Amino acid sequence: MIAMRQPLFEHRLTLAGYETRALELEGDGPPLLMLHGYMDSADTWRFVLDRLARHNRAALAVDLPGFGTADLLHDGPVLPQLDAFTAAAVDHWAGERGEDVVVVGNSLGGVCSLRAAEREGAPIASVVPIAPAGLQMPSWFNVIEGDPVVRSLLRLPLPPAVMQRMVGEAYRRLAFSRGDGIPPNAVAAFSGHHRDRETVARGLTTGRRMLPELRYPFHFGKVRVPVLLVWGDRDRMVAHTGSERLLDALPGTRFELLEEIGHCPQVEAPDAVTELLLDFTGAPEPGRASGVA
């Protein structure tokens, strides 16, 4: 018998009134809902999804409103809109799979995962925030906005190919500890969502809107599910020292600090992230193809 890898399906969903893109894996085990970070997209989970497929795990990654190929955010506060979207995604995926889901989120997605766990009665089994924002005074936006490449993107009229190349350069440098080792297809997937100055400027405007909301975004006393907190010790965007606030509030939290890893462990260390997810949620045997020798 040989292991069978589940196919990844890409399709469109409407959640809380926002049309979005979904990357879906069929499979078993507690279903995983995967939320990306600021200015990122569901594509950031492709390496982890590939590994989860080998273990026959059900997973759903979606573009958050305002990012990737999802509908734009509305005027007004950002986090309540993301809360409504996340709640709808949780309810949808739990309904599809018939069991509570594990919400996994990187950076801004980590904020969404923790805030989702505060909702009483939500069909959530556990949450896995990865380098979540909102645990310290936000400095990540200053890092992005002050980057010389990002500033050039907003100042110069650039052809789309040049724009994407420069976005990819900034992504490598800011999001990872070893940017030169990041697979080109991961960089291309990120930069492909930032083809022009308008898109980049809109993302930065969203970041400015969110800054006040990220100062005190949590009510940890409402969290009643297990938490696995994952961070890279070389994170330039959101310092892992912010973990102390969450660990003090939720002392039962499991904390994993990945050595020599930056802000996006799901891209830089997908094997380690997948192993942590499987261990935390329970890892069934890899799927087997019936009748195949």
Side-chain angles (χ1 to χ4, degrees):
M1 304 286 285
I2 60 173
M4 173 175 281
R5 180 181 300 184
Q6 294 288 357
L8 182 66
F9 298 100
E10 182 170 336
H11 58 93
R12 305 293 294 181
L13 280 175
T14 299
L15 300 168
Y18 299 94
E19 185 178 317
T20 189
R21 177 182 57 138
L23 305 178
E24 181 175 340
L25 274 180
E26 295 182 347
D28 300 318
L32 301 163
L33 173 65
M34 316 186 89
L35 307 174
H36 61 79
Y38 168 67
M39 292 190 77
D40 211 336
S41 75
D43 293 313
T44 194
W45 298 107
R46 284 188 182 273
F47 296 122
V48 171
L49 287 167
D50 176 71
R51 287 152 176 80
L52 290 172
R54 303 172 195 176
H55 291 267
N56 194 39
R57 289 301 303 269
L60 182 73
V62 293
D63 290 344
L64 292 172
F67 304 104
T69 66
D71 284 347
L72 299 180
L73 290 158
H74 306 309
D75 293 337
V78 173
L79 290 187
Q81 297 183 62
L82 298 182
D83 289 341
F85 176 87
T86 302
V90 166
D91 292 344
H92 164 80
W93 194 222
E96 285 282 313
R97 304 304 307 181
E99 60 182 308
D100 292 353
V101 305
V102 178
V103 187
V104 185
N106 173 233
S107 192
L108 178 58
V111 176
C112 295
S113 71
L114 285 166
R115 286 168 64 96
E118 297 172 1
R119 179 166 62 106
E120 185 175 359
I124 294 177
S126 57
V127 295
V128 185
I130 301 176
L135 292 174
Q136 286 186 328
M137 295 296 287
S139 60
W140 54 270
F141 186 73
N142 292 334
V143 174
I144 296 172
E145 196 170 40
D147 183 80
V149 173
V150 175
R151 293 170 66 181
S152 296
L153 293 175
L154 298 174
R155 187 176 65 251
L156 302 174
L158 300 171
V162 177
M163 172 72 70
Q164 290 180 65
R165 185 166 63 249
M166 293 181 69
V167 167
E169 179 185 337
Y171 178 58
R172 285 181 185 276
R173 187 172 61 259
L174 297 176
F176 307 106
S177 67
R178 302 182 303 272
D180 291 344
I182 302 303
N185 57 334
V187 178
F190 180 89
S191 60
H193 294 293
H194 303 89
R195 295 185 174 91
D196 51 51
R197 281 192 294 174
E198 180 183 358
T199 303
V200 175
R202 183 169 60 241
L204 292 174
T205 297
T206 298
R208 294 188 199 99
R209 287 170 58 191
M210 280 194 299
L211 281 178
E213 301 176 53
L214 288 171
R215 293 187 183 277
Y216 301 102
F218 304 117
H219 297 89
F220 289 129
K222 297 181 178 180
V223 176
R224 296 287 187 269
V225 298
V227 179
L228 166 63
L229 177 63
V230 181
W231 226 305
D233 69 347
R234 300 290 180 86
D235 193 333
R236 295 182 56 201
M237 306 294 295
V238 183
H240 66 80
T241 52
S243 62
E244 297 173 2
R245 182 179 171 197
L246 190 151
L247 296 174
D248 287 344
L250 299 172
T253 296
R254 175 179 168 185
F255 180 38
E256 298 287 344
L257 187 63
L258 304 180
E259 295 184 358
E260 299 186 1
I261 298 299
H263 187 56
C264 296
Q266 69 276 9
V267 176
E268 196 167 10
D271 288 328
V273 170
T274 303
E275 289 175 9
L276 288 171
L277 291 175
L278 293 174
D279 179 65
F280 183 62
T281 63
E285 290 296 316
R288 299 287 177 174
S290 177
V292 179

Coordinates of all heavy atoms in Angstrom, one line a residue, residues 38 59 94 127 178 208 217 276 280:
Y38 N -1.0 40.2 7.5 CA -1.2 41.5 6.9 C -0.5 41.5 5.5 O 0.6 41.1 5.4 CB -0.7 42.5 7.8 CG -0.5 43.9 7.2 CD1 -1.6 44.6 6.8 CD2 0.7 44.5 7.0 CE1 -1.5 45.9 6.3 CE2 0.9 45.7 6.5 CZ -0.2 46.5 6.1 OH -0.1 47.7 5.6
A59 N -8.3 20.7 5.7 CA -7.8 22.1 6.0 C -8.4 23.0 5.0 O -8.7 22.6 3.8 CB -6.3 22.2 5.9
A94 N -16.9 24.3 10.2 CA -17.4 23.4 11.2 C -18.6 22.7 10.6 O -18.8 21.5 10.8 CB -17.6 24.1 12.5
V127 N -6.9 26.9 19.1 CA -6.3 27.9 18.2 C -4.8 27.8 18.3 O -4.2 27.5 19.3 CB -6.8 29.3 18.6 CG1 -8.3 29.4 18.4 CG2 -6.4 29.7 20.0
R178 N 16.2 34.1 6.8 CA 17.1 33.8 5.7 C 16.3 33.9 4.4 O 15.9 33.0 3.7 CB 17.5 32.3 5.8 CG 18.3 32.0 7.2 CD 18.7 30.6 7.2 NE 17.6 29.7 7.1 CZ 16.9 29.2 8.1 NH1 17.1 29.7 9.3 NH2 15.9 28.4 7.8
R208 N -2.5 51.4 8.6 CA -2.6 52.6 9.4 C -3.9 52.6 10.2 O -4.0 53.0 11.3 CB -2.5 53.9 8.6 CG -1.1 54.1 8.0 CD -1.0 55.5 7.3 NE 0.1 55.5 6.4 CZ 0.0 55.3 5.1 NH1 -1.2 55.1 4.5 NH2 1.1 55.3 4.3
P217 N -6.2 44.4 21.7 CA -7.3 43.8 20.9 C -7.9 42.5 21.5 O -8.8 41.9 20.9 CB -6.6 43.4 19.6 CG -5.2 43.1 20.0 CD -4.9 44.0 21.2
L276 N 4.2 20.4 14.4 CA 3.6 21.0 15.6 C 2.1 20.9 15.5 O 1.4 20.6 16.5 CB 4.0 22.5 15.8 CG 5.4 22.7 16.2 CD1 5.8 24.2 16.2 CD2 5.6 22.2 17.7
F280 N -0.2 18.7 18.1 CA -1.1 19.5 18.9 C -2.5 19.0 18.7 O -3.3 18.9 19.7 CB -1.0 20.9 18.6 CG -1.9 21.8 19.4 CD1 -1.7 21.9 20.8 CD2 -2.8 22.7 18.9 CE1 -2.5 22.7 21.6 CE2 -3.6 23.5 19.6 CZ -3.4 23.5 21.0

